[in-house]
Coordinates of all heavy atoms in Angstrom, one line a residue:
A1 N -26.9 -62.8 -22.1 CA -26.4 -61.5 -22.5 C -26.8 -61.3 -24.0 O -27.1 -60.2 -24.4 CB -24.9 -61.4 -22.4
K2 N -26.8 -62.4 -24.8 CA -27.2 -62.3 -26.2 C -28.7 -61.9 -26.3 O -29.1 -61.1 -27.2 CB -27.0 -63.6 -26.9 CG -25.5 -63.8 -27.3 CD -25.3 -65.1 -28.0 CE -23.8 -65.4 -28.2 NZ -23.6 -66.7 -28.9
I3 N -29.5 -62.4 -25.4 CA -30.9 -62.1 -25.4 C -31.1 -60.6 -25.1 O -31.8 -59.8 -25.7 CB -31.7 -62.9 -24.3 CG1 -31.8 -64.3 -24.8 CG2 -33.1 -62.3 -24.1 CD1 -32.3 -65.3 -23.8
I4 N -30.3 -60.1 -24.1 CA -30.3 -58.7 -23.8 C -30.0 -57.7 -25.0 O -30.5 -56.7 -25.2 CB -29.4 -58.4 -22.6 CG1 -30.0 -59.1 -21.4 CG2 -29.3 -56.8 -22.3 CD1 -29.1 -59.1 -20.2
C5 N -29.0 -58.2 -25.8 CA -28.4 -57.4 -26.8 C -29.2 -57.6 -28.2 O -29.1 -56.6 -29.0 CB -27.0 -57.8 -27.1 SG -25.9 -57.3 -25.8
H6 N -29.9 -58.6 -28.3 CA -30.6 -58.9 -29.6 C -31.7 -58.0 -29.9 O -32.5 -57.7 -29.0 CB -31.1 -60.4 -29.6 CG -31.4 -60.9 -31.0 ND1 -32.5 -60.6 -31.6 CD2 -30.6 -61.6 -31.8 CE1 -32.5 -61.2 -32.9 NE2 -31.4 -61.8 -33.0
A7 N -31.8 -57.4 -31.0 CA -32.7 -56.4 -31.4 C -34.2 -57.0 -31.4 O -35.2 -56.3 -31.2 CB -32.4 -55.7 -32.7
R8 N -34.3 -58.3 -31.7 CA -35.6 -58.9 -31.8 C -36.1 -59.5 -30.6 O -37.2 -60.1 -30.5 CB -35.6 -59.9 -33.0 CG -35.3 -59.2 -34.3 CD -35.6 -60.1 -35.4 NE -37.0 -60.3 -35.6 CZ -37.5 -61.0 -36.5 NH1 -36.8 -61.7 -37.3 NH2 -38.8 -61.2 -36.5
S9 N -35.4 -59.4 -29.5 CA -35.8 -59.9 -28.2 C -36.9 -59.0 -27.6 O -36.8 -57.7 -27.8 CB -34.8 -60.0 -27.1 OG -33.8 -60.9 -27.5
T10 N -38.0 -59.5 -27.1 CA -39.0 -58.7 -26.5 C -38.6 -58.0 -25.3 O -37.5 -58.5 -24.6 CB -40.3 -59.5 -26.2 OG1 -40.0 -60.4 -25.2 CG2 -40.8 -60.2 -27.4
A11 N -39.2 -56.9 -24.8 CA -38.8 -56.2 -23.6 C -38.9 -57.1 -22.4 O -38.1 -57.1 -21.5 CB -39.8 -55.0 -23.4
E12 N -40.0 -58.0 -22.4 CA -40.2 -58.9 -21.3 C -39.0 -60.0 -21.3 O -38.6 -60.3 -20.1 CB -41.5 -59.7 -21.5 CG -42.7 -58.9 -21.3 CD -43.2 -58.3 -22.6 OE1 -42.5 -58.4 -23.6 OE2 -44.3 -57.6 -22.6
E13 N -38.6 -60.4 -22.4 CA -37.4 -61.3 -22.4 C -36.1 -60.6 -21.9 O -35.4 -61.2 -21.2 CB -37.1 -61.8 -23.8 CG -38.1 -62.9 -24.2 CD -37.9 -63.4 -25.7 OE1 -37.5 -62.5 -26.6 OE2 -38.0 -64.6 -26.0
K14 N -35.9 -59.4 -22.3 CA -34.8 -58.6 -21.9 C -34.8 -58.5 -20.3 O -33.8 -58.7 -19.7 CB -34.6 -57.4 -22.6 CG -34.3 -57.5 -24.0 CD -34.2 -56.1 -24.7 CE -33.8 -56.3 -26.2 NZ -33.7 -55.1 -26.9
A15 N -36.0 -58.1 -19.9 CA -36.1 -57.9 -18.4 C -35.9 -59.2 -17.6 O -35.2 -59.2 -16.6 CB -37.5 -57.3 -18.1
A16 N -36.4 -60.3 -18.2 CA -36.3 -61.6 -17.5 C -34.8 -62.0 -17.5 O -34.2 -62.5 -16.5 CB -37.1 -62.6 -18.1
A17 N -34.1 -61.8 -18.7 CA -32.7 -62.1 -18.8 C -31.9 -61.3 -17.8 O -30.9 -61.8 -17.1 CB -32.2 -61.9 -20.2
I18 N -32.2 -60.0 -17.7 CA -31.4 -59.2 -16.7 C -31.6 -59.6 -15.3 O -30.7 -59.8 -14.6 CB -31.8 -57.7 -16.9 CG1 -31.3 -57.1 -18.3 CG2 -31.3 -56.9 -15.7 CD1 -31.8 -55.7 -18.6
A19 N -32.9 -59.9 -14.9 CA -33.2 -60.4 -13.6 C -32.5 -61.7 -13.3 O -32.0 -61.9 -12.3 CB -34.7 -60.5 -13.4
S20 N -32.4 -62.6 -14.3 CA -31.8 -63.9 -14.1 C -30.3 -63.8 -14.0 O -29.7 -64.4 -13.1 CB -32.1 -64.8 -15.3 OG -33.5 -65.2 -15.3
L21 N -29.7 -62.9 -14.8 CA -28.2 -62.6 -14.8 C -27.9 -62.0 -13.4 O -26.8 -62.4 -12.8 CB -27.8 -61.7 -15.9 CG -27.5 -62.4 -17.2 CD1 -27.3 -61.4 -18.3 CD2 -26.3 -63.3 -17.0
V22 N -28.7 -61.1 -12.9 CA -28.4 -60.5 -11.6 C -28.3 -61.5 -10.5 O -27.4 -61.5 -9.6 CB -29.4 -59.3 -11.3 CG1 -29.3 -58.9 -9.8 CG2 -29.2 -58.2 -12.3
T23 N -29.2 -62.5 -10.5 CA -29.2 -63.5 -9.4 C -28.0 -64.4 -9.6 O -27.6 -65.0 -8.6 CB -30.5 -64.3 -9.5 OG1 -30.6 -65.1 -10.7 CG2 -31.7 -63.5 -9.2
I24 N -27.5 -64.6 -10.8 CA -26.3 -65.4 -11.0 C -25.0 -64.8 -10.5 O -24.2 -65.5 -10.0 CB -26.2 -65.8 -12.5 CG1 -27.4 -66.7 -12.9 CG2 -24.9 -66.5 -12.8 CD1 -27.5 -66.9 -14.4
Y25 N -24.9 -63.5 -10.6 CA -23.7 -62.8 -10.1 C -23.5 -62.8 -8.7 O -24.4 -62.5 -8.0 CB -23.7 -61.4 -10.6 CG -23.2 -61.2 -12.0 CD1 -24.1 -61.2 -13.1 CD2 -21.9 -61.0 -12.3 CE1 -23.6 -61.0 -14.4 CE2 -21.4 -60.8 -13.6 CZ -22.3 -60.8 -14.7 OH -21.9 -60.6 -15.9
E26 N -22.3 -63.3 -8.2 CA -22.0 -63.2 -6.8 C -21.1 -62.0 -6.5 O -21.1 -61.5 -5.4 CB -21.4 -64.5 -6.3 CG -22.3 -65.7 -6.4 CD -21.7 -67.0 -6.2 OE1 -20.4 -67.0 -5.9 OE2 -22.3 -68.0 -6.2
D27 N -20.4 -61.7 -7.6 CA -19.4 -60.6 -7.6 C -19.1 -60.2 -8.9 O -19.3 -61.0 -9.9 CB -18.2 -61.0 -6.8 CG -17.3 -59.7 -6.4 OD1 -17.8 -58.6 -6.4 OD2 -16.1 -59.9 -6.2
I28 N -18.6 -59.1 -9.2 CA -18.2 -58.6 -10.5 C -16.8 -58.0 -10.4 O -16.6 -57.1 -9.6 CB -19.2 -57.8 -11.2 CG1 -18.9 -57.4 -12.6 CG2 -19.4 -56.5 -10.4 CD1 -20.0 -56.8 -13.4
D29 N -15.9 -58.4 -11.3 CA -14.6 -57.7 -11.3 C -14.6 -56.4 -12.1 O -15.6 -56.1 -12.8 CB -13.5 -58.7 -11.9 CG -13.7 -59.0 -13.4 OD1 -14.3 -58.2 -14.1 OD2 -13.3 -60.1 -13.8
D30 N -13.6 -55.6 -11.9 CA -13.6 -54.2 -12.4 C -13.6 -54.2 -13.9 O -14.3 -53.3 -14.5 CB -12.4 -53.5 -11.8 CG -12.5 -53.2 -10.3 OD1 -13.6 -53.1 -9.9 OD2 -11.5 -53.0 -9.7
K31 N -12.9 -55.1 -14.5 CA -12.9 -55.2 -16.0 C -14.3 -55.4 -16.6 O -14.7 -54.7 -17.5 CB -11.8 -56.2 -16.4 CG -11.7 -56.2 -18.0 CD -10.7 -57.3 -18.4 CE -10.7 -57.3 -19.9 NZ -10.4 -58.6 -20.5
E32 N -14.9 -56.4 -16.0 CA -16.2 -56.8 -16.6 C -17.2 -55.7 -16.3 O -18.1 -55.3 -17.2 CB -16.7 -58.1 -16.0 CG -18.0 -58.6 -16.5 CD -18.4 -59.9 -15.9 OE1 -17.9 -60.4 -15.0 OE2 -19.4 -60.5 -16.5
F33 N -17.1 -55.1 -15.2 CA -18.0 -54.0 -14.8 C -17.8 -52.8 -15.7 O -18.8 -52.2 -16.3 CB -17.8 -53.5 -13.3 CG -18.7 -52.3 -13.0 CD1 -20.0 -52.4 -12.8 CD2 -18.1 -51.1 -12.8 CE1 -20.8 -51.3 -12.5 CE2 -18.9 -50.0 -12.5 CZ -20.2 -50.1 -12.3

């Protein structure tokens, strides 16, 4: 999440971080969403 938010992260790093995070989530609660 820090990689996604960091201004100096490259677009490729952000995309990879998002893709990786999505695979980790099995469910998301309403508050986090």
Side-chain angles (χ1 to χ4, degrees):
K2 286 181 182 178
I3 290 171
I4 294 169
C5 293
H6 198 279
R8 298 193 69 184
S9 295
T10 65
E12 292 89 353
E13 284 178 319
K14 289 179 182 183
I18 288 171
S20 292
L21 273 171
V22 166
T23 62
I24 292 170
Y25 276 91
E26 295 171 359
D27 193 19
I28 186 167
D29 62 28
D30 290 334
K31 181 182 179 213
E32 186 177 10
F33 176 71

